[in-house]
Amino acid sequence: MTTDAVRNGTTTVKPPPGVVVAHSPAATQAYIGSPSLVRLPGGTLLASHDLFGPGSTWSDTHVYASDDDGATWRHRAHLAGQWWSSLLVHGGALYILGTTTEYGDVVIRRSDDGGRTWTTPDSPRTGLLRQGQFHTAPMPFVEHDGRIWRAMEDASGGEGWGERFAAFVMSAPLGADLLDAASWTSTNALARENAWLPDGFRAWLEGNAVVTPEGELVDVLRVDSADPRVTWGAIVHVSPDGTRATFDPKADLIEMPGGITKFAIRRDPVTGDYVSLVNHVPDPAARSRGLRARNTLALARSADLRTWRVSAPVLEHADDVTHGFQYVDWFIEDGDLLVLSRTAWDEPGGTAHNHHDANYLTFHRLHAFREVPVHA
């Protein structure tokens, strides 16, 4: 997956690494966000993304399909009023869960034809799960103790980007009608406190529903701190009935490689280790650039969710201003990781707007990921 970052003259550029699924030119000011990736039971790969920025509606999601294992992709569906969303294959059906727009309602849709057509979430019985102001990203679902779980954030706690996020987890019984709001239970929403870190705990967001080695359901969140030279994660504990969330800042803050940007955590069914792909910057001094540092992507593994080991970059570019591999979604298939990236890269006639405002959606396969060396 590693690539050399090379500009080829001023008008012709080397394409981004991997396979381009979609390209939204920087000049459109509609930037690619929220990659999500699944494989359907029949073998088709589905990828989705939304669009953000001044050239977008802040409420559109696009779905693409590949029938040749990711070598080529074609547009399959456009969903209006769907954003910050993740795909899910569950009980033989395909779902997509997210919000209606930036800080919108929580909605879920189902497709019974491989993502070509979708239900409309226009009532609590047809996918309108919660009304209000909510935040999420394409985060993993996990099945545990007879329920399916998904982490979210309540965004009604203020106007500022960090202060408004309060962590909670939703769950529904396996076999329940996921389009029916009555099927879902939510924990209380936990607001962050700035004093949790000496230099300032500015936000937590984009939580992962994960089962610990001891069998407890937890929410592992990205942490935005005032000093990004040490990157953090936070572990919120969820009661077995899915109604109560608790957090102890003295015990439940962990050093998480790349924890200042979005990461997804899943458990390897072969080794039992937890796996993530993270925007880890090895040089602590370089981390002072904070959210800019998305030009390196590395593999991280942990046996206990608390102590993480990280690899050398598996994707990288020397420039961190207009290049980035971020918000990656992925799943394990045999010995490989199949990866979808929100990628900022050079394009004909120019570059991405910046590292954050991605102009490509790219697909990658990391072969034999268990053999990639990681270190403390």
Side-chain angles (χ1 to χ4, degrees):
M1 285 177 66
T2 303
T3 183
D4 294 324
V6 178
R7 285 296 302 272
N8 183 13
T10 59
T11 58
T12 302
V13 299
K14 184 176 181 179
V19 176
V20 173
V21 179
H23 175 216
S24 184
T28 67
Q29 298 187 74
Y31 308 121
I32 287 177
S34 303
S36 184
L37 181 69
V38 295
R39 190 184 288 279
L40 299 179
T44 296
L45 287 169
L46 284 190
S48 66
H49 74 86
D50 59 26
L51 292 167
F52 67 97
S56 75
T57 66
W58 300 84
S59 61
D60 289 305
T61 286
H62 294 270
V63 180
Y64 295 80
S66 173
D67 291 320
D68 53 12
D69 215 29
T72 61
W73 296 82
R74 64 190 182 280
H75 190 267
R76 178 159 283 190
H78 166 228
L79 302 176
Q82 190 75 46
W83 218 55
W84 280 340
S85 299
S86 48
L87 297 164
L88 168 70
V89 176
H90 177 70
L94 172 67
Y95 296 88
I96 189 167
L97 183 149
T99 61
T100 52
T101 186
E102 185 179 38
Y103 308 128
D105 301 330
V106 180
V107 291
I108 187 171
R109 305 175 194 233
R110 187 183 69 237
S111 174
D112 297 316
D113 60 2
R116 294 175 179 85
T117 61
W118 297 80
T119 57
T120 302
D122 54 6
S123 80
R125 295 296 301 274
T126 60
L128 178 58
L129 300 186
R130 291 190 64 173
Q131 292 180 279
Q133 299 181 64
F134 296 94
H135 176 272
T136 188
M139 307 312 300
F141 297 83
V142 66
E143 294 183 10
H144 171 63
D145 199 21
R147 303 182 71 83
I148 187 164
W149 304 79
R150 175 64 154 72
M152 300 279 293
E153 291 85 47
D154 187 309
S156 62
E159 297 298 325
W161 176 83
E163 67 182 7
R164 68 188 306 160
F165 300 138
F168 73 98
V169 174
M170 301 174 63
S171 66
L174 298 180
D177 180 0
L178 298 188
L179 300 186
D180 189 346
S183 299
W184 291 85
T185 298
S186 296
T187 68
N188 54 301
L190 288 174
R192 68 94 176 98
E193 296 184 17
N194 194 62
W196 285 346
L197 286 174
D199 58 340
F201 190 112
R202 300 197 298 191
W204 59 2
L205 65 158
E206 295 166 352
N208 292 264
V210 190
V211 181
T212 70
E214 297 75 29
E216 179 191 11
L217 194 287
V218 295
D219 179 9
V220 183
L221 293 113
R222 161 189 173 185
V223 170
D224 185 88
S225 60
D227 182 356
R229 287 174 295 180
V230 179
T231 55
W232 300 93
I235 300 177
V236 169
H237 300 267
V238 178
S239 62
D241 64 358
T243 63
R244 187 164 180 261
T246 58
F247 177 72
D248 179 356
K250 294 181 179 179
D252 296 328
L253 278 170
I254 60 170
E255 288 194 28
M256 179 71 196
I260 199 168
T261 59
K262 184 259 189 184
F263 56 89
I265 298 173
R266 293 181 172 92
R267 199 167 191 181
D268 185 343
V270 173
T271 66
D273 283 347
Y274 299 92
V275 180
S276 190
L277 287 168
V278 295
N279 293 128
H280 175 62
V281 179
D283 178 8
R287 295 177 203 158
S288 63
R289 292 190 287 259
L291 295 179
R292 177 182 293 177
R294 303 182 183 200
N295 59 311
T296 63
L297 189 73
L299 178 71
R301 288 201 292 262
S302 174
D304 61 2
L305 284 176
R306 290 181 172 271
T307 301
W308 289 84
R309 298 171 295 147
V310 66
S311 75
V314 296
L315 279 173
E316 62 181 332
H317 192 289
D319 169 61
D320 65 3
V321 177
T322 60
H323 295 82
F325 310 98
Q326 59 203 301
Y327 274 74
V328 295
D329 193 24
W330 53 271
F331 61 83
I332 297 170
E333 189 169 82
D334 300 323
D336 298 344
L337 292 186
L338 277 62
V339 182
L340 192 67
S341 171
R342 171 179 137 186
T343 299
W345 196 264
D346 301 329
E347 60 184 28
T351 66
H353 180 231
N354 58 40
H355 67 285
H356 176 274
D357 296 345
N359 51 345
Y360 287 98
L361 184 71
T362 56
F363 172 78
H364 313 259
R365 184 183 287 268
L366 177 57
H367 294 283
F369 78 95
R370 296 185 186 96
E371 299 175 18
V372 175
V374 295
H375 53 83

